[in-house]
């Protein structure tokens, strides 16, 4: 689950510098990636944390499936 990771990130107390990644969660399928991102977006609502969902395998390379704050 990403909740312990999210608690740790939010517990740092300050937002990261611009364009800085604090965590990367990998999953074996697109469906699972979308499900994880959807749940994390619910838990980060109203916080400075941002969730980005990226999947690979498309002919043009990685495809962004969501970008919300």
């Amino acid at each position: 689950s990403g909740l312990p990771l999210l608690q740790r990130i939010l517990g740092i107390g300050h937002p990261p510098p611009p364009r800085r990644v604090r965590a990367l969660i990998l999953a074996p399928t697109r469906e699972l990636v979308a499900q994880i991102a959807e749940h994390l977006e619910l838990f980060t609502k109203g916080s400075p944390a941002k969730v980005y969902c990226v999947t690979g395998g498309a002919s043009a390379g990685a495809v962004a499936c969501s970008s919300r704050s």
Side-chain angles (χ1 to χ4, degrees):
S1 167
L3 291 180
L5 175 65
L6 187 58
Q7 286 178 323
R8 187 174 185 157
I9 289 171
L10 294 175
I12 292 173
H14 56 82
R19 304 180 67 94
R20 171 76 54 97
V21 174
R22 287 224 174 142
L24 174 66
I25 299 173
L26 301 175
T29 65
R30 291 180 185 196
E31 292 80 13
L32 185 54
V33 169
Q35 184 180 19
I36 292 168
E38 181 181 331
H39 285 105
L40 288 177
E41 286 171 354
L42 290 174
F43 292 121
T44 59
K45 196 171 215 161
S47 77
K50 294 181 182 178
V51 175
Y52 293 94
C53 172
V54 179
T55 61
S59 61
V63 179
C65 64
S66 71
S67 174
R68 298 185 182 140
S69 55

